[in-house]
Amino acid sequence: MATSAESQDQLGSGQRIEASEGGPETISFTFEGEEFTVSGFERSLPDPSTPGDRAQLVKAGLQADGAALDEDAWHAVARAIISPEAAAAQLRSAKGQASALIEEHVEGATLRSLHTRVWLTELFPGHQPRTSQGALPVEDPEVHGDVDEQGRPYARVVYRYRDRKHLRDHLAQTIEQTRHANPNPYDRSILARRITRAVIAHPCRLEFADGDEHMDVLAVRDGITRLTSAWALLTDGASPYADEIAATALRVLTAEKTQRRGAAERSLSQRMALGRQEALNGFLAEFQRGVNQPQPADRSVRLGQTLVVPAQVTVGIHRHGSAGLSAEEVFDDAVRSILASIHVEFRHWEAAAQNVEVGSRAISRVRLPGLPQNSLLDGIIGLALGRRKPEDLPGVFGRSDIPGTPLWRAVYLTHFLTRPEVFEQVKRFAKDIKGTSRMNTAGYAELLGPVIDLPWRGYKAGSLQQARNAWANGGVLTKGVLGDWQPTPDTDFTDLVEPALKGNNDARQTLAVAGGIALIADKLITRNVGSAVGRTVPFRANTDQIVAGLAESEKGLWSLALAANAFEARRECLNSFTDAQLLARNTADMYTIPAVDLAAPDKLARDAGGRAVQPLDQWTLVALSNPDKAQQAEQERQQNQDADGSQQTVAEKLAVERRALRQAVTEARFAVERLLKIADGPDARATTVHPFGSQEELDRMIAEVHQLVGQITLHTQAAEQEPEEDEDDEFTD
């Protein structure tokens, strides 16, 4: 049965039940005019485990060969597992006999897991790679490994939040963004058949930088989409929004039992666990009230199909002697290896999520002989993975003359990651992680894109996809950039033009990288596609070829330098958008990349009035990269025009009418003026969060608030989507 959000609607009328004596039942009913079946429904749920049962599992876990958890972590596992006594039996094995734990071998480690059933109310969404490739308003927590007194890795990670509010906000964001990332959620499938594929989970310690007590919980690393759909089915309303689903989950996950006056002091972890237990007890009572009748209640069916979740819970790790990672890193990397084998090789994440995951894991494996840990290498890797800020750049390299800016971070990371010894290591590791035997330079550049754009990806959301497409087309990885050179730090990139013209290769390649990255980020260099020729570019060329060509001429070098000087990580660029797109945006806070006039004292081209700076456009830039090819292309176009006449094509006429339509539709935007004002604020602009939640929610809100369907709704959608459709038309192979 196809999965669909429709299954969140209330169970329809016309239910009938096929029951076997005391066994699973099949419930059929009419759902929005069609037959819908809930299979395997049972009129009973397991009882909550007793403290004695949980104590047995904790004791067995601490004594088990192959397990690697402390007592607090085992308590978290025991609270989550529905039948801790059965799990304890898996852990007990006679001396010399093989353990009943599931073993998975990955590079550098062996993971050991329990296959069991757990309560939905004990599962916390863990790190979500699908949302990590975007810039969101709530920062991810710091992620650390954990080791015992002998320095051996625990099968646990530590998430360090600023405070408990940061935890709540991040959980809500993870659930909401997971919902937005899945246009076809599993609600209907789960309602019909429950969660059938086990989630992957492991113990996790939640720590707080403000000094609050830590908590031990079970974190889900694979299956967060399934959890989100389960919580959607438990959320009131026919088709709940993502924030409503998150609120339902957080009411349970962050519940805390109040400490009774005079009672023995309990830790935060215990109080929170008791709060979740009370919530579970409430769910079980709700379920029972609705099944003591021939037709089970809607709420009981939803609870019965969602509360029990199959899970593979990792409880042990054995680090191989050949492991290249430190003891603190090996467990999280091993789990990520399992996830990559699922979502990179088989059930694919979107390309950006894959690149973030593969690139970050490959970079973290780099080792250079002669450099000890906590050295320059660690600092550079910290910059690449976002653990160190651009402001740390001078300290990482031990040079006070390096500007601590996002663009200079990009220059130094590009240089480091293209050094032959690093380049080959990252390529090899990335191929191993992806399970492929080949990776060309463009494929390597595609991995670098999400690493490079980390500081500005939220602020430049309007050009992010096109920029990543350009990285996949070669980025700035020219032959010169891959060669022998050193970055030349300077606060003014135009200072590097003269040395570059005199043969200084370091200055030339610094300009190529800095200016090229700026032009890609601001959508003035885009990927090579034929449909753009004659419309936005004069001829076809890969992005690295354009960058290389610009670095070979005086005007091209000035273009690179001025683009790098103009670049601002926290603002959008006026040059990134067409005239029609600018009508829907607030341009007051945008900056402009100027065109070049070599005859002007400051090299800035100005319009006919002689004062206003003339913006650089994509056509001019590509033509600068190869003037001879541009001239040849222009001659061919002129010949074709002479042969075919100068009549507008149908596509050109349609484009004119679309622009006129967009101008008219902008008047409708006054209805959402306050919402857009918030979205234009500095906090909102630092994120990739859609102002309306998602395109789907925008469509629904338009229909609900304005009660408009048909032509007006369609036009409003077109106003929102037309810019991206233009890009698809222009830059799609």
Side-chain angles (χ1 to χ4, degrees):
M1 182 180 296
T3 58
S4 170
E6 294 174 355
S7 60
Q8 297 174 56
D9 293 346
Q10 297 297 317
L11 303 188
S13 60
Q15 295 185 357
R16 65 178 185 273
I17 302 170
E18 299 172 11
S20 57
E21 292 287 337
E25 302 170 355
T26 297
I27 305 172
S28 299
F29 54 93
T30 302
F31 179 77
E32 291 194 346
E34 65 177 84
E35 192 81 1
F36 185 83
T37 301
V38 172
S39 59
F41 177 73
E42 299 187 40
R43 291 177 180 263
S44 63
L45 284 171
D47 293 327
S49 59
T50 66
D53 292 337
R54 295 195 291 271
Q56 285 186 47
L57 176 55
V58 173
K59 181 179 179 181
L62 292 172
Q63 295 175 350
D65 291 334
L69 292 174
D70 63 12
E71 185 174 354
D72 287 342
W74 275 116
H75 278 293
V77 173
R79 285 193 298 267
I81 290 179
I82 290 172
S83 302
E85 69 282 1
Q90 286 189 59
L91 292 167
R92 299 190 190 101
S93 59
K95 195 167 185 179
Q97 292 185 357
S99 167
L101 295 176
I102 299 169
E103 288 195 348
E104 293 179 283
H105 301 278
V106 298
E107 183 186 356
T110 297
L111 296 178
R112 298 187 176 97
S113 305
L114 289 163
H115 191 80
T116 185
R117 297 187 305 161
V118 298
W119 295 112
L120 173 68
T121 53
E122 289 293 326
L123 297 176
F124 281 65
H127 179 258
Q128 171 60 292
R130 295 189 73 179
T131 60
S132 293
Q133 55 86 23
L136 298 171
V138 183
E139 291 183 1
D140 288 339
E142 296 177 18
V143 181
H144 301 275
D146 203 1
V147 297
D148 63 15
E149 294 82 357
Q150 286 76 44
R152 295 171 301 195
Y154 276 134
R156 173 173 68 192
V157 297
V158 177
Y159 289 170
R160 187 165 297 149
Y161 298 89
R162 291 189 302 274
D163 48 35
R164 287 167 66 182
K165 183 179 184 302
H166 183 200
L167 166 65
R168 289 191 296 271
D169 292 346
H170 190 263
L171 287 174
Q173 176 177 273
T174 300
I175 293 170
E176 291 176 28
Q177 294 303 316
T178 300
R179 189 68 170 182
H180 294 325
N182 291 276
N184 297 304
Y186 302 141
D187 307 20
R188 189 177 183 122
S189 174
I190 292 172
L191 186 61
R193 296 182 295 275
R194 292 180 288 189
I195 295 176
T196 55
R197 185 162 54 88
V199 301
I200 295 176
H202 59 70
C204 178
R205 174 160 287 180
L206 310 180
E207 295 183 347
F208 304 100
D210 66 353
D212 207 345
E213 296 177 69
H214 69 261
M215 298 164 48
D216 286 279
V217 300
L218 213 59
V220 170
R221 298 294 292 275
D222 180 60
I224 298 174
T225 302
R226 279 162 270 165
L227 296 188
T228 301
S229 285
W231 285 114
L233 290 169
L234 298 183
T235 302
D236 293 335
S239 297
Y241 288 103
D243 57 344
E244 295 171 334
I245 298 168
T248 299
L250 260 64
R251 276 195 295 272
V252 175
L253 296 178
T254 62
E256 180 179 357
K257 186 171 177 62
T258 305
Q259 183 82 32
R260 288 187 299 175
R261 184 176 299 176
E265 185 70 24
R266 296 183 184 274
S267 68
L268 174 63
S269 195
Q270 291 173 317
R271 299 195 304 273
M272 299 289 282
L274 289 171
R276 296 193 299 275
Q277 182 64 55
E278 282 192 344
L280 174 61
N281 291 341
F283 284 149
L284 294 175
E286 276 190 276
F287 171 82
Q288 201 58 45
R289 280 195 298 270
V291 295
N292 295 327
Q293 50 186 317
Q295 293 189 167
D298 171 83
R299 181 68 171 174
S300 293
V301 174
R302 291 170 181 262
L303 288 164
Q305 298 296 89
T306 57
L307 282 182
V308 176
V309 180
Q312 182 176 316
V313 182
T314 305
V315 297
I317 180 169
H318 171 67
R319 184 187 180 208
H320 299 167
S322 59
L325 297 173
S326 67
E328 290 83 359
E329 295 174 298
V330 69
F331 175 69
D332 187 53
D333 184 80
V335 173
R336 292 172 68 181
S337 179
I338 298 295
L339 302 186
S341 70
I342 297 172
H343 293 290
V344 175
E345 298 176 33
F346 302 109
R347 291 185 296 275
H348 288 183
W349 285 319
E350 53 269 29
Q354 289 188 46
N355 290 332
V356 168
E357 185 69 5
V358 173
S360 61
R361 289 185 60 219
I363 290 169
S364 68
R365 282 170 153 73
V366 172
R367 294 292 181 267
L368 298 177
L371 282 180
Q373 293 299 305
N374 303 317
S375 66
L376 172 63
L377 177 61
D378 286 336
I380 296 173
I381 292 175
L383 285 168
L385 303 185
R387 295 196 292 257
R388 304 287 295 270
K389 302 297 184 185
E391 299 78 40
D392 298 334
L393 193 63
V396 168
F397 285 91
R399 291 185 55 174
S400 60
D401 61 332
I402 301 177
T405 68
L407 187 55
W408 276 107
R409 167 193 175 272
V411 171
Y412 273 85
L413 282 178
T414 301
H415 175 262
F416 173 77
L417 293 170
T418 53
R419 296 312 87 207
E421 62 274 25
V422 177
F423 181 80
E424 291 303 325
Q425 284 192 56
V426 175
K427 269 182 67 174
R428 184 175 73 252
F429 293 138
K431 287 188 294 183
D432 290 344
I433 293 167
K434 296 185 74 170
T436 183
S437 60
R438 298 186 61 187
M439 177 176 287
N440 58 19
T441 301
Y444 187 85
E446 185 178 15
L447 292 181
L448 299 193
V451 173
I452 297 301
D453 68 31
L454 181 61
W456 58 75
R457 63 174 63 148
Y459 298 96
K460 296 179 182 288
S463 56
L464 181 63
Q465 187 56 56
Q466 290 80 10
R468 288 184 173 172
N469 290 343
W471 277 98
N473 191 224
V476 298
L477 302 195
T478 68
K479 290 181 179 179
V481 170
L482 293 172
D484 185 20
W485 65 284
Q486 290 291 330
T488 304
D490 200 305
T491 56
D492 185 347
F493 285 98
T494 62
D495 292 341
L496 303 180
V497 175
E498 185 176 351
L501 290 172
K502 292 180 178 179
N504 186 320
N505 189 53
D506 291 346
R508 185 181 300 275
Q509 302 310 327
T510 300
L511 286 174
V513 172
I517 288 173
L519 291 165
I520 286 173
D522 288 331
K523 213 168 69 173
L524 279 165
I525 297 179
T526 57
R527 65 176 173 171
N528 174 7
V529 289
S531 57
V533 175
R535 300 174 64 193
T536 58
V537 296
F539 56 83
R540 294 191 64 162
N542 291 342
T543 56
D544 58 306
Q545 295 171 330
I546 296 171
V547 173
L550 292 172
E552 293 301 318
S553 70
E554 181 180 5
K555 197 168 185 179
L557 286 169
W558 274 104
S559 296
L560 292 167
L562 292 175
N565 268 1
F567 182 82
E568 293 192 35
R570 298 195 173 197
R571 296 169 64 194
E572 287 185 310
C573 177
L574 198 74
N575 310 59
S576 302
F577 305 102
T578 65
D579 291 344
Q581 291 168 333
L582 289 174
L583 288 173
R585 293 179 177 270
N586 181 1
T587 62
D589 196 39
M590 292 184 179
Y591 64 90
T592 300
I593 296 176
V596 173
D597 180 0
L598 293 179
D602 57 4
K603 310 302 182 187
L604 301 181
R606 289 177 168 79
D607 64 10
R611 294 185 177 275
V613 171
Q614 183 176 328
L616 179 64
D617 61 79
Q618 192 175 4
W619 185 290
T620 300
L621 187 71
V622 174
L624 273 178
S625 70
N626 193 330
D628 292 341
K629 193 172 182 179
Q631 184 177 10
Q632 179 183 351
E634 182 58 33
Q635 290 172 349
E636 291 175 356
R637 271 189 296 277
Q638 190 62 51
Q639 291 170 359
N640 291 335
Q641 273 193 346
D642 292 342
D644 299 337
S646 58
Q647 293 295 320
Q648 280 188 324
T649 66
V650 171
E652 290 168 338
K653 292 177 181 178
L654 288 173
V656 170
E657 294 305 320
R658 281 199 303 270
R659 286 193 291 271
L661 175 62
R662 285 195 295 265
Q663 290 176 0
V665 171
T666 53
E667 295 298 321
R669 295 184 182 276
F670 289 113
V672 288
E673 182 178 352
R674 285 177 296 183
L675 183 59
L676 289 180
K677 185 176 181 181
I678 296 171
D680 279 337
D683 292 339
R685 291 179 60 205
T687 75
T688 53
V689 175
H690 193 291
F692 298 92
S694 69
Q695 185 61 43
E696 178 189 2
E697 292 192 23
L698 171 60
D699 295 341
R700 288 172 55 189
M701 280 188 280
I702 290 171
E704 291 169 4
V705 176
H706 299 289
Q707 299 181 351
L708 293 177
V709 293
Q711 187 177 13
I712 295 179
T713 301
L714 181 61
H715 289 175
T716 309
Q717 291 171 336
E720 286 293 306
Q721 297 174 358
E722 183 62 24
E724 191 61 38
E725 290 175 359
D726 279 351
E727 290 302 318
D728 288 342
D729 289 344
E730 294 173 4
F731 303 114
T732 300
D733 289 308

